Amino acid sequence: MAVLRSIEKRIEALFEGVFGRAFRAHVQPVELARKLAKEMDEHRTVSVTRVYVPNEYTVYLAPQDRDQFSSYEEALCKELQEYLSEHAQREHYVLTAAPRVVIETAEDLEIGVFGIATKMARAARNVPVEQPLPLPPPSSYETQAFTPNVPLETRAPTYALAFEGRSIPLRDKTVVLGRSRECDIRLTDPNTSRRHAEVRPEGDDSYVLADLGSTNGTELNGKRVSHTRLSDGDTITIGQAELTFVRE
């Protein structure tokens, strides 16, 4: 154990915000994912009502370790980015931009040893933090025989709640907001009740906002409400948190 800890100390001295570990075999993707999440946890910055985390990660690998990823390095980086995004959502972290992972070669590293440098970069204005993943193109058989030519305006709309740089799809289910860890959207403001309010589907392609008997009430567009139908662009205020009901 003392030998492993000594190796970790030397790697940490090479990079700011870097960690490393010596392995007998090549570095594995699952180990990169676990350590990237750990770096996110260890470099969080607590603000007044939010917890910010880095959004740019550079992974340093020995030449031999990087070679093993050469055929799918781009796909691996995308997978690690998705993993970090999901980890941030689970832990209710705030990202200034979508996570970005790049891999670099460090000639002085040995096989099984890697380092990670983190950075919090500012997002460009008017650019969504995360874009939904594009749907795969239909096969030629589906296009010719089974895909109806439906105009866009006749397709059922989808809705989401925009909150702290994230877009949270509603997907025809009830979303509970509050301070409890069991809520779908957790709000850390102490003025928020454990189960404060909910947004639920009601009727065809419509949603309502309902206060759940909270102590300090729920506001919609600056007015206190108990039960009301939502429209595209409405602002929901709970304590110091603001969420926007949007049509995607």
Side-chain angles (χ1 to χ4, degrees), residues 96-129:
T96 58
R100 179 171 179 264
V101 176
V102 295
I103 297 177
E104 299 287 349
T105 301
E107 300 290 343
D108 55 343
L109 291 181
E110 299 178 357
I111 295 178
V113 178
F114 65 94
I116 295 179
T118 66
K119 180 181 178 182
M120 189 179 297
R122 181 181 299 179
R125 289 188 176 183
N126 301 323
V127 176
V129 172

Side-chain angles (χ1 to χ4, degrees), residues 4-216:
L4 290 176
R5 190 167 300 278
S6 176
I7 293 174
E8 289 178 349
K9 293 291 185 181
R10 291 201 298 270
I11 295 300
E12 288 174 352
L14 290 176
F15 311 101
E16 181 180 0
V18 174
F19 58 84
R21 181 178 173 186
F23 296 90
R24 294 180 180 177
H26 286 289
V27 173
Q28 298 300 314
V30 65
E31 187 69 16
L32 292 177
R34 185 173 68 86
K35 293 297 188 181
L36 282 166
K38 182 178 179 182
E39 282 294 290
M40 177 178 282
D41 294 337
E42 292 183 351
H43 289 83
R44 60 184 183 267
T45 301
V46 180
S47 182
V48 178
T49 59
R50 300 178 179 181
V51 179
Y52 294 93
V53 290
N55 59 295
E56 290 196 359
Y57 298 80
T58 302
V59 179
Y60 295 92
L61 297 175
Q64 300 92 327
D65 280 325
R66 189 176 184 185
D67 286 345
Q68 69 172 327
F69 303 134
S70 59
S71 61
Y72 64 101
E73 182 176 304
E74 183 177 353
L76 174 61
C77 288
K78 289 181 179 179
E79 186 178 4
L80 292 172
Q81 289 166 180
E82 293 174 6
Y83 179 82
L84 285 174
S85 181
E86 293 171 0
H87 180 73
Q89 187 170 350
R90 285 194 302 269
E91 298 299 326
H92 304 284
Y93 294 151
V94 178
L95 292 158
T96 58
R100 179 171 179 264
V101 176
V102 295
I103 297 177
E104 299 287 349
T105 301
E107 300 290 343
D108 55 343
L109 291 181
E110 299 178 357
I111 295 178
V113 178
F114 65 94
I116 295 179
T118 66
K119 180 181 178 182
M120 189 179 297
R122 181 181 299 179
R125 289 188 176 183
N126 301 323
V127 176
V129 172
E130 294 184 5
Q131 295 288 349
L133 294 175
L135 294 174
S139 69
S140 58
Y141 291 102
E142 293 172 332
T143 302
Q144 295 175 8
F146 303 108
T147 303
N149 186 18
V150 181
L152 285 174
E153 60 270 16
T154 65
R155 297 176 186 173
T158 58
Y159 295 91
L161 290 175
F163 176 57
E164 294 186 341
R166 295 180 288 143
S167 179
I168 305 166
L170 294 176
R171 295 173 182 166
D172 295 326
K173 70 174 184 178
T174 299
V175 174
V176 180
L177 304 90
R179 193 160 40 86
S180 172
R181 290 185 177 272
E182 298 177 356
C183 291
D184 300 290
I185 300 178
R186 189 183 177 209
L187 308 174
T188 57
D189 185 350
N191 295 316
T192 302
S193 299
R194 291 182 58 79
R195 288 174 57 87
H196 196 105
E198 68 180 17
V199 174
R200 63 174 183 263
E202 188 170 285
D204 296 333
D205 303 328
S206 62
Y207 288 81
V208 298
L209 169 67
D211 186 86
L212 299 178
S214 65
T215 303
N216 295 310

